Amino acid sequence: CLVFLPSCQPVATDGCSTLSMIIAMPDSDMPRYPVFQSAAALCVGVGSFSDPSDLPGLAHFLEHMVFMGSEKYPSENGFDAFLKKHGGSDNASTDCERTIFQFDIQRKNFKEALDRWAQFFICPLMIRDAIDREVEAVDSEYQLAKPSDSHRKEMLFGSLAKPGHPMGKFCWGNAETLKQEPKRMKINVYKRLRAFWKKYYSAHYMTLAVQSKEKLDTLEEWVREIFSKVPNNGLPKPDFSDMLDPFDTTAFSKLYRVVPVGKVHALNITWALPPQEKYYRVKPLHYISWLIGHEGTGSILSVLRKKCWAVALFGGNSETGFDQNTTYSIFSISITLTDEGFQNFYKVTHLVFQYLKMLQTLGPQQRIYEEIQRIEANEFHYQEQIDPIEYVEDICENMQLFPKEDFLTGDQLMFEFNPEVISAALSLLTPEKANLMLLSPEHEGQCPLREKWFGTQYSMEDIQQEWMEQWTGNLELNADLHLPAENKFIATDFTLKPSDCPDTEFPVRIADSDRGCLWYKKDNKFKIPRAYVRFHLISPVIQQSAKNVVLFDLLVNILGHNLAEPAYEAEVAQLEYKLVAGEHGLVIKVKGFNHKLPLMFHLIIDHLADFSASPDVFSMFAEQLKKTYFNILIKPEKLSKDVRLLILEHSRWSMVDKYQALTAGLTTEELTEFSRSFRAELFAEGLVQGNFSSAESVQFLQYVTDKLQFSKLTAEVPVMFRVVELPQKHHICKVKSLNKGDANSEVTVYYQSGPKALREHTLMELLVMHMEEPCFDFLRTKETLGYHVYPTCRNTSGVLGFSVTVETQATKFNTELVELKIEEFLASFGEKLNALTEEAFNTQVTALVKLKECEDTHLGEEVDRNWAEVVTQQYVFDRLNREIEALKQMTRDELVSWFKEHRGQSSRKLSVHVVGFGAEENDEEGSGEKQEEKGKDEDLRSSAYGEVSKLTFLPASPKVEGAIAIMDIPAFTEGLPLFPYHKILK
């Protein structure tokens, strides 16, 4: 048993014989911890590797089932209801060898929440009746994952393992493996589930971390009292460490051509190494990945970018259970290729092997290792506090992996340079041992093989002999490749600067002119040598046409490309930057140690001032942007948002509009002209927070205006859209999913309120908070409509509303049935609201007040909140305080009447359905089982890539009584009135 104090000094205590625990208690004078939120996380040392062969996905299913009531607290959704009532949240995840559960809640309810939560590990109910329903939730989770290329790639990779190795198991589980097949085989899932829990959910497999502001003795007393009843069966822990070399097969070192769901060309070069976790003090793979993934001069990506063969490269090990476990460790290099790069993928691979040979020839470099070490140590020493729920999750997992003296640092620091260990790992990265996986839509029709669970189409072939002979023979080094030079951006001055003006609670405007203004706040709360600088360069030309929006996207992408190499050293030295193509301007974000931060900011502005794009780079990014738009449009949740906002926001250009404009063709000259007109007339609005004086901060705005030399705006540019006032009727917009291989549908039912005040916004937040748990219980737990079901508070350019969303599958439910079920839920919720007691109302109000009163865990949270005010030009920096005051004056009757008013006959209701492919939607060639049962010949003839340049609208059936179908969005919105521009200020 271990107790942890925030000074990072572990203090051992005696007598804890059941499970290992850490209690994190912040000092009373450390304001970086939230005042009210407390958190706990428990890691069980068992995961999907332990799934029985006849019940794939059982560990994941158990993770779902233990949450569904306990003997002491039998209510099926009781824990979630308790958390929601007191401003908390929870989550869980199943990995290969570990399962983690975590929750947070307001401090005053922490002990009761701990007791309720602990019962899941002491005496969960797991009633028979809940099993069939929760299988559907697991199945929906699997269906949502099926269109993900990263998940598909993982499952295909796992299938290459030796027969009988757990890497080849189907860890997700679905209705087939947990319901239909067990029924056919007469397997009693209920009994097997309880047996699995009894065998593996044992105290000696578990580690626990808790964080709260109680006294340390009190926390320890609670943990002993509450968790002492967790059963301990004393059985040996599951151990797979004797199942080494899972991919030591002839099928592994081949070229696999894969058809992805999205439009992407990607090359993955992967090695399966012996387990590297024991070398955590050296971190050999981290050292190698630092060099492989480098983007500066002399790097692999630098050379590939110059040839216009690649736009991104990632190398290393993600440290998930899939990438690193007791049987092996992955080292993978993933390269996003251009069309030309795809055609030359063997040459790209050749370049990678040349770089690896250079590293093997030169051997591990102490200078580089110590530089990485210094950067990581700076980051650790001055790290910002993360949310308690994330922190305890990290710590409880670390407790499974490292000795107690390294619980807090084992995953973050590089302790010792050991060239032998690094050389040993490097020597294994050979061409003979590599697996090549090439993803491209070009492979469609050429891949006769199918992965069993996700249906991924692929083919397998030998790597061309001529290339293999080059790589394994006397491979010549490439003169363009070399190690990175010494990093000049590493901070060395961590002095906290004195204030040069009076301290303020909120940002103040310290510079203002007709060309820009600057907001500033000196940090004297978190007291760290970091700063945040953000600018919004507002332009009138962006929203003039869909073509201009596309040109702006291209400008921002190419600006990022131009910056990538010169800015990379700064980025690895913890100076992070982000360029965002906003709706009305370019957003520039820079954060990190303040010492060298101005250099990074100047670099960005310099490159914007001198922006240019060669024809080759322009073509490369136009091609990539087209793929990006396509990949957004084929996701039901993205398409649903695009359709909803296209209806609601006047003059908005949709993703389909942008795709059409890009497909019609653009030129380098048009981009050059657009960049000139963009920079000609701007308004620059900035925010500087952190360890800078006001005098230093003003220099950022000065640099922007001096360097870019723009004129003032001739007319004010609104930073929001005007919003359509929906008719007082029910309108429904049904569009077919643009991915014809996808069963996933999404239904959002939206109620528009209007341009309201701050009080109404807070009232709507309270309503949604009341709605969350009943929504989950009704639509997911009882009706099993889908994995993701949720209500949302909507603020659309200042116009308020609320919605309920369900993500479902067309193989199970018709979207109109889901619509009716959402209505059924809202009717039942209305009845619950009518019966709401004053006590229950006050409890929820208090919970929301406490959430809003929580102190920021780190400076970034405060900056995000202030920036939201600046970028929307609302400047209500004390919004939280005003909302708290509004909440304290609210009444139960006000809440009930507000809901009734928006649900009545005169409600402005809009339903948006993105309809997936499946039997319930009368598709002859749906996704899911029917699609996968088609013959291989037919598979090779028909394309999975649908047309995304236009939407297919579907009529509504009489089932949705009184609903008017929208079959043409411009025709529908053309005659509707518009609300005036509106900001929520009072």
Side-chain angles (χ1 to χ4, degrees), residues 208-424:
L208 171 70
V210 299
Q211 178 173 313
S212 188
K213 280 188 74 103
E214 271 68 34
K215 289 181 179 177
L216 202 58
D217 290 346
T218 304
L219 277 179
E220 189 173 339
E221 183 185 316
W222 289 358
V223 169
R224 291 184 190 284
E225 172 194 333
I226 291 169
F227 289 89
S228 61
K229 293 177 184 172
V230 175
N232 186 343
N233 60 30
L235 294 173
K237 192 175 176 181
D239 184 7
F240 301 93
S241 60
D242 59 342
M243 304 181 75
L244 301 173
D245 301 319
F247 297 102
D248 186 16
T249 65
T250 52
F252 183 77
S253 301
K254 303 278 187 185
L255 169 63
Y256 286 80
R257 295 181 184 267
V258 178
V259 181
V261 172
K263 283 202 173 174
V264 64
H265 299 306
L267 173 64
N268 292 283
I269 307 170
T270 307
W271 293 265
L273 312 179
Q276 298 291 306
E277 217 158 57
K278 61 185 174 184
Y279 303 121
Y280 76 91
R281 296 186 66 80
V282 181
K283 295 187 172 56
L285 300 188
H286 186 53
Y287 170 85
I288 299 167
S289 67
W290 183 280
L291 293 168
I292 293 285
H294 206 275
E295 298 182 23
T297 309
S299 66
I300 300 170
L301 187 57
S302 172
V303 174
L304 291 175
R305 277 179 171 149
K306 286 182 173 70
K307 291 176 178 287
C308 290
W309 285 359
V311 292
L313 182 151
F314 304 97
N317 180 299
S318 70
E319 296 178 9
T320 61
F322 185 90
D323 272 19
Q324 185 149 285
N325 53 60
T326 55
T327 74
Y328 85 115
S329 289
I330 266 184
F331 189 86
S332 187
I333 300 169
S334 179
I335 306 171
T336 306
L337 302 170
T338 62
D339 287 354
E340 195 176 342
F342 168 68
Q343 298 300 330
N344 290 283
F345 81 91
Y346 268 123
K347 290 180 180 175
V348 173
T349 311
H350 185 75
L351 198 72
V352 170
F353 287 133
Q354 285 181 314
Y355 193 87
L356 282 170
K357 183 169 183 186
M358 178 192 76
L359 294 184
Q360 289 158 352
T361 305
L362 294 174
Q365 302 290 301
Q366 189 161 354
R367 171 188 69 82
I368 291 173
Y369 190 92
E370 288 175 355
E371 190 173 275
I372 303 168
Q373 209 172 21
R374 195 159 76 250
I375 289 170
E376 311 259 307
N378 285 347
E379 178 65 17
F380 180 78
H381 188 66
Y382 295 105
Q383 67 183 302
E384 295 188 279
Q385 176 68 25
I386 61 172
D387 285 340
I389 193 169
E390 294 176 39
Y391 189 59
V392 291
E393 180 189 359
D394 289 345
I395 297 300
C396 77
E397 187 169 20
N398 284 358
M399 293 169 74
Q400 298 265 346
L401 302 172
F402 310 121
K404 65 182 181 183
E405 62 270 18
D406 295 328
F407 283 172
L408 309 177
T409 56
D411 60 337
Q412 296 191 56
L413 296 182
M414 296 172 77
F415 298 90
E416 57 193 57
F417 176 60
N418 187 325
E420 289 76 22
V421 169
I422 297 169
S423 292

Side-chain angles (χ1 to χ4, degrees), residues 543 583-584 641 644-653 718-725 750 752-757 761 764 793-801 868 871-874 879 978-985:
Q543 290 295 332
E583 303 282 7
H584 308 280
K641 179 182 178 181
R644 178 172 51 81
L645 292 181
L646 186 59
I647 294 170
L648 293 175
E649 292 185 333
H650 180 63
S651 299
R652 163 182 276 278
W653 302 104
V719 290
M720 56 180 61
F721 295 98
R722 289 187 69 183
V723 176
V724 164
E725 183 179 350
Y750 167 78
Q752 188 181 64
S753 180
K756 304 290 184 178
H761 183 273
M764 194 169 64
C793 177
R794 301 279 183 194
N795 177 352
T796 309
S797 285
V799 172
L800 300 182
V871 84
T872 57
Q873 296 185 344
Q874 295 182 107
R879 188 177 297 274
L978 300 176
F979 289 118
Y981 288 115
H982 181 69
K983 296 174 184 178
I984 303 173
L985 306 178

